[in-house]
Amino acid sequence: MHLLNADGTYNSVFAPGVPLYNYIRPDGRIYAPVINTSNNTATVVRYLATGAVDATFATVTVAMDPTQPNPVLEVKPTPAGDLLLVGTFQQVNGASRSRIAKVSATGVLNATFNPTGAWQSTTRVYNFDAWPLATGEVYVCWDDNLRSQLIRLSASGSPDNSFVIGSGPFTNPNTINNYFKIAAIQPNGQPFVTGGFTSFSGQPALSLVRLTTTGTPDPAFNAAFPVRYSPVLLQPDGRVLVQQLSGTLNAQLRRLNADGSIDTNFPAVPVPNSVHGIGGTPILQPDGKILVYGNFTRINGQPRIGLARLTNTLLATRPAFAAAPEMDVFPNPARRQIIIRLPLATASATAQPIDLLDMQGRLVRRFILPARQTEASLALEQVAAGIYLLQTNTAHGLVRQRVVVTD
């Protein structure tokens, strides 16, 4: 893996031998899963921002399932600070685990989280994936010989029966065009699901649907066009970045409003000669700009080989929130704690959550502001250094403030 400067010029080799498939945290640390197909084993190592191995993280050892032809191991940091491991494995750190496990921020296996489910049956499992929530719950999605499956697990790993998707969109997902997957999770826990469908649980849905936290299609979101299996990037302002395909070798990066309609303030960004629509996978940078990578040689009419950066003025200025009441946050930058102060007129009669989001809109920490209170002290211990958004709903609407956390 190689390191580039902020302007795209070459810096140096970063962590030689580390594959490109890795997971970068806001503090610069990288989780790198490496699979050894010769003996069906894998490891997860954490690197510092300097490229050195992080000695405070014990290497996680994984035994892969030798019956699976395409071994997979993903690492998904959770808002609570631990790690969710997802893949075709049978053991983690010597203990029996099938396809899903949790380890601590230091690499220790979570002994109490050991879910069992239909994905552990002898029936072949396709497209298995899992997404952690700030509450400790986990969405699990997979396909079998009958249909696509989507369930939610409690923090202990048991099935959460309050989340039910009903019939879903298909009865036979055994082709590439007939399955669905989770593409993103809103901070409030609502999942976005993409796939080769035109309806979901009996409701019209053009291959992109947002579900409620009980599993039903959310009527407040209707995608303006099909996206199939596009990546979905949630901006902090509620807008959604997706890919729209044109044939099999061309894609456009498009932005939708929070209700699924086309955002006319964001012109379509053509990505010609991309392969099956993976030529414009977006990442949102802390400054609001969009980093795009994939199999392309031109983007928006400009020559770029596999990597480009787009401006995102609307996100940076966020005019939609210009009239919202202010939130005072101090000190800012902060290290271990911050104090928030809201205008007295915004006090709510009920306790309200205060969410700390990273710049991709993912929930990092949730605090509770007591009823009728407009000032609170929030601890930032174990929050990695970086740029975040602090937000809460008040009697006068949504308020947000950018927060910088230092080492």
Side-chain angles (χ1 to χ4, degrees), residues 75-396:
V75 179
K76 299 191 174 186
T78 75
D82 53 5
L83 305 175
L84 187 70
L85 304 185
V86 183
T88 55
F89 51 79
Q90 296 176 319
Q91 292 184 352
V92 175
N93 286 352
S96 177
R97 290 293 187 277
S98 178
R99 293 185 175 270
I100 184 170
K102 280 185 180 181
V103 298
S104 71
T106 58
V108 178
L109 179 67
N110 185 327
T112 63
F113 184 82
N114 188 15
T116 58
W119 64 83
Q120 296 174 332
S121 68
T122 56
T123 302
R124 185 173 178 181
V125 174
Y126 307 80
N127 308 305
F128 185 87
D129 200 4
W131 288 72
L133 301 177
T135 57
E137 297 168 306
V138 177
Y139 284 115
V140 179
C141 185
W142 76 98
D143 305 323
D144 57 26
N145 288 330
L146 298 175
R147 54 169 287 192
S148 295
Q149 310 277 356
L150 175 58
I151 64 172
R152 187 170 62 205
L153 303 177
S154 69
S156 65
S158 60
D160 181 355
N161 296 324
S162 67
F163 179 86
V164 180
I165 66 168
S167 61
F170 326 111
T171 58
N172 185 3
N174 294 333
T175 70
I176 192 170
N177 295 323
N178 278 346
Y179 72 91
F180 66 77
K181 65 178 183 177
I182 295 177
I185 306 285
Q186 286 192 166
N188 66 355
Q190 288 186 245
F192 281 83
V193 177
T194 61
F197 53 83
T198 57
S199 66
F200 198 101
S201 293
Q203 302 297 317
L206 295 176
S207 73
L208 174 62
V209 62
R210 183 173 66 196
L211 303 180
T212 67
T213 54
T214 62
T216 59
D218 185 350
F221 181 89
N222 294 286
F225 48 77
V227 301
R228 294 181 65 80
Y229 304 102
S230 163
V232 174
L233 179 63
L234 306 181
Q235 295 190 169
D237 58 9
R239 292 173 174 85
V240 183
L241 286 164
V242 296
Q243 287 177 359
Q244 182 181 21
L245 298 185
S246 175
T248 59
L249 293 178
N250 294 292
Q252 290 182 327
L253 183 64
R254 305 294 300 271
R255 188 163 65 189
L256 304 178
N257 294 311
D259 62 359
S261 61
I262 295 175
D263 183 357
T264 57
N265 292 301
F266 186 91
V269 179
V271 190
N273 300 318
S274 56
V275 179
H276 299 297
I278 62 172
T281 303
I283 298 174
L284 200 62
Q285 294 189 160
D287 60 1
K289 293 180 181 178
I290 304 167
L291 195 66
V292 184
Y293 68 94
N295 297 327
F296 57 83
T297 57
R298 297 182 70 84
I299 183 168
N300 212 20
Q302 300 296 317
R304 292 292 188 278
I305 301 177
L307 184 65
R309 187 168 61 195
L310 309 175
T311 59
N312 196 6
T313 306
L314 184 61
L315 176 64
T317 57
R318 293 195 299 278
F321 300 100
E326 293 184 357
M327 174 194 296
D328 290 328
V329 178
F330 56 93
N332 191 9
R335 183 178 181 185
R336 295 179 179 174
Q337 72 171 16
I338 55 175
I339 296 174
I340 69 159
R341 184 175 295 159
L342 299 166
L344 290 175
T346 65
S348 173
T350 60
Q352 296 293 325
I354 303 174
D355 292 337
L356 187 69
L357 311 177
D358 66 16
M359 294 308 293
Q360 294 189 39
R362 298 174 299 196
L363 184 64
V364 175
R365 185 73 60 84
R366 172 163 287 176
F367 311 95
I368 299 298
L369 182 67
R372 298 180 178 83
Q373 186 168 318
T374 58
E375 184 172 322
S377 177
L378 310 180
L380 297 176
E381 296 176 357
Q382 297 183 346
V383 174
I387 302 175
Y388 299 88
L389 287 175
L390 195 69
Q391 72 174 29
T392 186
N393 279 298
T394 71
H396 286 190

Side-chain angles (χ1 to χ4, degrees), residues 45-91:
V45 178
R46 187 166 69 193
Y47 290 84
L48 300 172
T50 60
V53 174
D54 187 349
T56 66
F57 182 82
T59 298
V60 178
T61 59
V62 180
M64 305 300 291
D65 184 350
T67 67
Q68 297 296 317
N70 300 306
V72 176
L73 177 60
E74 293 188 65
V75 179
K76 299 191 174 186
T78 75
D82 53 5
L83 305 175
L84 187 70
L85 304 185
V86 183
T88 55
F89 51 79
Q90 296 176 319
Q91 292 184 352

